[in-house]
Amino acid sequence: MSVTLIIVIVVVALLVIWVVGIQNKLVKSDELCKNALKQINVQQISRFDAIKALVKLTREYASYEADTLQKVIAERKIVSSPNPTVAEINANEAALGSVLGRLIAVAEQYPELKANENYRQTMQSIEKYEENVRLSRMTFNDSVTSYNREVRMFPASLVAGMLGFPQREYLADDVSKQDYPEI
């Protein structure tokens, strides 16, 4: 066997190992992004369940308004898919924000409802889910930043392009949350 052939084999082997290493790193980053997006979906579903419990409690105090809210909730079902998209997550946020905003407005009309211990506990749990969603969104966007950086930086960008790793979309800032009513 000639020395030239051995050098060529070693170079090819090193190149293959390098490509596989980059591919594995890209897959790991991609999976972290997918997991972070699923975590947001889980938190949204939990928050939605807490909102449904709040509607049930509100019904005892304000049957007409609660029925209206129940209809809104029925119309705006939370998308729960095994692989949620950024658009689905954003749509869920908009639906939940609308329902919760209406529910808070109803509660303002009934001071005895706001004084109810179950109401306060449920609102605290909704606040906890709001915080969890906020943190999950931050985690997702951080994961996307890391992934997109890997996909765009040379020489990994060559491998990412060859193996079909596109850049990922960030979750947009929810400008409606800036004027969100206090819970």
Side-chain angles (χ1 to χ4, degrees):
M1 216 180 206
S2 81
V3 173
T4 308
L5 183 60
I6 292 172
I7 292 173
V8 168
I9 290 173
V10 168
V11 169
V12 169
L14 289 174
L15 185 61
V16 167
I17 291 170
W18 176 76
V19 168
V20 168
I22 289 177
Q23 190 268 348
N24 287 340
K25 189 174 181 181
L26 290 169
V27 166
K28 179 181 172 186
S29 291
D30 187 50
E31 288 301 317
L32 286 172
C33 291
K34 288 177 185 176
N35 181 53
L37 198 58
K38 288 178 185 181
Q39 293 304 317
I40 296 169
N41 193 251
V42 167
Q43 296 300 326
Q44 287 179 328
I45 291 167
S46 297
R47 185 174 52 180
F48 184 69
D49 291 341
I51 290 172
K52 287 193 311 189
L54 200 57
V55 167
K56 184 177 177 185
L57 181 62
T58 304
R59 183 178 289 123
E60 298 170 12
Y61 285 86
S63 62
Y64 171 74
E65 289 90 344
D67 287 341
T68 301
L69 290 168
Q70 189 68 37
K71 289 176 186 173
V72 170
I73 288 175
E75 291 172 9
R76 297 179 182 206
K77 296 191 187 299
I78 293 296
V79 176
S80 174
S81 79
N83 297 307
T85 65
V86 170
E88 290 171 337
I89 294 295
N90 285 333
N92 286 349
E93 281 297 301
L96 287 166
S98 172
V99 170
L100 189 56
R102 289 183 186 188
L103 190 55
I104 290 169
V106 168
E108 292 295 325
Q109 298 172 12
Y110 296 91
E112 65 275 10
L113 172 61
K114 287 175 66 176
N116 181 292
E117 185 61 29
N118 288 339
Y119 176 84
R120 286 197 302 244
Q121 288 175 354
T122 305
M123 289 305 285
Q124 286 173 350
S125 114
I126 290 173
E127 286 176 5
K128 180 185 80 171
Y129 292 125
E130 287 286 333
E131 180 67 8
N132 290 347
V133 168
R134 186 184 71 77
L135 292 173
S136 295
R137 288 174 65 92
M138 286 174 40
T139 300
F140 173 76
N141 280 342
D142 287 346
S143 298
V144 168
T145 297
S146 177
Y147 170 81
N148 284 348
R149 190 178 306 125
E150 290 175 18
V151 167
R152 293 181 57 217
M153 288 177 59
F154 183 81
S157 61
L158 298 174
V159 176
M162 288 185 321
L163 299 178
F165 285 93
Q167 287 190 45
R168 284 187 157 272
E169 183 180 353
Y170 289 93
L171 287 171
D173 290 335
D174 190 353
V175 292
S176 68
K177 296 275 184 178
Q178 293 171 354
D179 298 326
Y180 205 62
E182 285 295 317
I183 297 178

